[in-house]
Amino acid sequence: MTQRRDFIKKSLIGGAGLAIGGMGFSAKSYGSILGANDRINVAVIGIRGRGVSHIDAWCELKESHNVRLKTLCDTDEQFFDPRSKTVLDKTGIKPTTEWDMRKVLDDKEIDIVSFATPNHWHALGTIWACQAGKHVYVEKPASHNIWEGRKMIEASRKYNKRIQVGFQNRSIPNVMEAMKFLHGGGIGEIYMARGLCVKPRDSFGIAKDSTPPASLHYDRWLGPAPYRPYNEKRGHYNWHWFWDTGNGDTGNQGPHQFDIARWGLNKNEHPVSVFSSGGIYGIDRTQCEQETPNTQLTIAKYNDGKILEFETRGRYSNSESGLGIKIGNIFYGSEGYLEIDGSTWRAYRNKESDPFAGSKVIQANASETLTGSSNTEHFVNFLDAIKSGNNETLHCDILDGHYSSAVPFLANISYRLGREIRFMGNSEKCINDPAADAMLTRKYRSPYVVPSKV
């Protein structure tokens, strides 16, 4: 089996110049280059919600990139039958199923692990996968806190494994075009970026603690999080709204827009200060146990004074800008401004009301792409980077994913402490602020401990 893995690595690296688009190969001809022995075996861990899109993407790449979706893994076995049927219908091959992530990582045939788990499992699962010799595709945010993100970077570098973070906008051609326009001085010098997340969400109610369903391996689902009795309102999807497992909408939908904002500002660094405030509005708190805010405003400043703003509105609200943005970004420059709504962008010069530049190719709205289809471009880029053996070819290497995830993490620390956070990017510590420093990491529940030395 070791010989097979070495052969795959050598074949992929040796074929780096044969990437689709690089030498004009079609998807069909690219697939014919790789023989049966070069098949890339994938496991998807976390098969509910966003995991469905992972399944669809890997299935779609079966022929063009010789991908086999070999294993589906989830702590809740209720999803095994319908997801297995999806894979069988799409590829003609029935995957194996497993609830224990460690057994998946022990499988020497698995080359790639694709994580769509709750946020609190991203870092430990990724580190375990790198240690087991797997490349990793992990959903946003990259981790659950800043310290974990740094450990993921260390694991990637130590074990020479590619980690692609699921900031899919980085592989959408129209968004890439907008970033090139901004970085080329299209609206002059950019001094501020604004991200928006207008997602009205109703109360999900309350429930008494109860016994976990027979299909759920609850201790494993909790993993690194502190133990607490099972409650259905803190489980599937609702985990986003509790600090032990999620990061609220500022750390859920928000990271996509934080990433675009940071990308447009061309800031490959941490901000020096972050202030965030907000609360839970429009919901009867006696009928909902949500901990994270549904309304939140964040202002992050960089060392040169440039500003990143982000706003989460979880109740009914208007859109913004000429494009009517609800989930998107606006950039402000010395000579105009630029709007991005999904994969559509427009640039305006000074006080002019008509755009002078913008996207010419109509693409699916990015918010629909991210939730309603597989969006294979980002997965293909990941495969190409594995083939090249070079982190530099990744559209969102773990370092980029870490920078973009850290801003909403700092925002949530500021919100929870009720004051500005001043941050030292080089050491990834707060300035004279032990309380804030303590929130850069977490206490881990044995044996689900993110190691200090990866």
Side-chain angles (χ1 to χ4, degrees):
M1 196 61 65
T2 300
Q3 291 178 337
R4 172 187 171 272
R5 293 187 64 83
D6 289 342
F7 177 69
I8 289 177
K9 182 177 179 181
K10 291 176 182 177
S11 298
L12 292 176
I13 294 174
L18 302 180
I20 293 178
M23 293 291 287
F25 284 89
S26 66
K28 182 177 181 181
S29 63
Y30 177 82
S32 67
I33 293 170
L34 297 173
N37 291 333
D38 303 310
R39 179 182 294 122
I40 304 300
N41 290 317
V42 177
V44 174
I45 300 181
I47 60 175
R48 187 186 182 278
R50 179 63 185 159
V52 175
S53 295
H54 283 225
I55 291 170
D56 289 343
W58 295 120
C59 288
E60 189 171 334
L61 297 173
K62 174 179 180 288
E63 298 297 333
S64 63
H65 288 70
N66 207 1
V67 169
R68 176 193 177 193
L69 182 44
K70 184 177 187 290
T71 305
L72 301 179
C73 177
D74 201 287
T75 55
D76 195 338
E77 298 186 43
Q78 69 169 297
F79 303 111
F80 286 170
D81 287 345
R83 303 299 187 264
S84 294
K85 184 178 184 303
T86 295
V87 178
L88 179 61
D89 290 346
K90 289 177 177 288
T91 69
I93 301 172
K94 186 175 181 179
T96 59
T97 56
E98 178 56 64
W99 68 267
D100 187 344
M101 181 192 305
R102 290 176 294 192
K103 290 183 178 179
V104 176
L105 299 179
D106 285 341
D107 185 346
K108 302 301 182 183
E109 290 191 349
I110 297 295
D111 304 295
I112 291 172
V113 178
S114 191
F115 283 102
T117 61
N119 299 354
H120 69 294
W121 259 111
H122 286 185
L124 186 57
T126 294
I127 292 167
W128 281 354
C130 289
Q131 292 172 334
K134 322 298 185 187
H135 299 286
V136 175
Y137 184 108
V138 61
E139 271 304 325
K140 55 74 196 167
S143 57
H144 185 255
N145 59 62
I146 289 177
W147 183 82
E148 289 181 347
R150 180 54 56 181
K151 296 297 119 179
M152 295 166 78
I153 295 167
E154 292 174 5
S156 171
R157 305 319 187 231
K158 179 176 180 178
Y159 298 101
N160 191 27
K161 295 301 168 187
R162 313 288 81 74
I163 300 178
Q164 175 95 305
V165 181
F167 288 114
Q168 296 90 345
N169 288 291
R170 287 188 175 251
S171 293
I172 296 176
N174 276 2
V175 180
M176 298 166 76
E177 177 188 59
M179 295 298 107
K180 184 177 180 180
F181 179 84
L182 287 173
H183 295 166
I187 56 172
E189 182 179 358
I190 304 167
Y191 59 87
M192 183 167 66
R194 176 166 171 76
L196 285 166
C197 172
V198 180
K199 269 194 170 183
R201 298 185 185 275
D202 293 328
S203 170
F204 52 82
I206 59 175
K208 294 182 179 180
D209 294 343
S210 60
T211 302
S215 63
L216 177 65
H217 298 266
Y218 182 58
D219 181 80
R220 184 59 53 84
W221 184 90
L222 278 176
Y227 179 81
R228 58 156 290 122
Y230 172 79
N231 189 298
E232 65 178 271
K233 297 299 183 180
R234 298 177 69 110
H236 294 313
Y237 200 78
N238 288 339
W239 57 262
H240 282 292
W241 323 127
F242 296 91
W243 296 119
D244 284 346
T245 50
N247 306 89
D249 244 340
T250 293
N252 173 36
Q253 175 63 46
H256 285 300
Q257 277 59 58
F258 275 102
D259 182 59
I260 292 175
R262 187 183 65 81
W263 187 11
L265 287 171
N266 211 13
K267 289 298 178 187
N268 298 312
E269 60 194 71
H270 291 298
V272 296
S273 69
V274 178
F275 176 75
S276 189
S277 64
I280 301 175
Y281 300 100
I283 291 176
D284 183 349
R285 296 298 304 281
T286 66
Q287 297 301 313
C288 183
E289 296 181 354
Q290 176 174 339
E291 294 176 344
T292 63
N294 64 5
T295 301
Q296 190 173 359
L297 177 63
T298 298
I299 300 175
K301 293 183 180 180
Y302 287 89
N303 191 51
D304 61 359
K306 293 185 178 181
I307 300 171
L308 191 164
E309 287 187 350
F310 184 79
E311 187 172 5
T312 298
R313 300 182 206 152
R315 300 305 291 162
Y316 312 113
S317 174
N318 60 300
S319 57
E320 289 189 15
S321 83
L323 286 176
I325 296 174
K326 288 194 172 182
I327 297 176
N329 293 80
I330 308 169
F331 294 89
Y332 302 91
S334 59
E335 299 173 12
Y337 63 97
L338 183 146
E339 309 166 343
I340 301 179
D341 182 24
S343 60
T344 301
W345 66 275
R346 295 177 186 170
Y348 299 80
R349 184 180 287 112
N350 299 324
K351 298 180 180 180
E352 296 176 2
S353 58
D354 295 324
F356 73 96
S359 50
K360 299 178 178 62
V361 178
I362 298 175
Q363 297 173 327
N365 184 280
S367 62
E368 295 174 357
T369 301
L370 294 174
T371 58
S373 74
S374 57
N375 188 36
T376 58
E377 293 93 339
H378 208 51
F379 293 88
V380 168
N381 171 253
F382 177 47
L383 291 173
D384 288 345
I386 293 172
K387 178 163 58 68
S388 73
N390 185 357
N391 290 323
E392 297 299 320
T393 63
L394 284 168
H395 285 169
C396 196
D397 170 58
I398 180 58
L399 180 59
D400 270 317
H402 175 57
Y403 280 139
S404 292
S405 301
V407 190
F409 294 158
L410 289 170
N412 282 335
I413 293 174
S414 172
Y415 165 79
R416 296 176 75 180
L417 293 178
R419 52 183 165 77
E420 181 183 67
I421 301 299
R422 293 181 296 152
F423 196 63
M424 299 179 290
N426 290 337
S427 63
E428 294 188 338
K429 295 288 186 180
C430 300
I431 299 177
N432 299 323
D433 198 336
D437 278 343
M439 299 174 75
L440 298 173
T441 183
R442 71 181 304 164
K443 293 181 179 180
Y444 294 94
R445 189 172 67 95
S446 181
Y448 308 106
V449 179
V450 174
S452 296
K453 294 184 179 181
V454 299

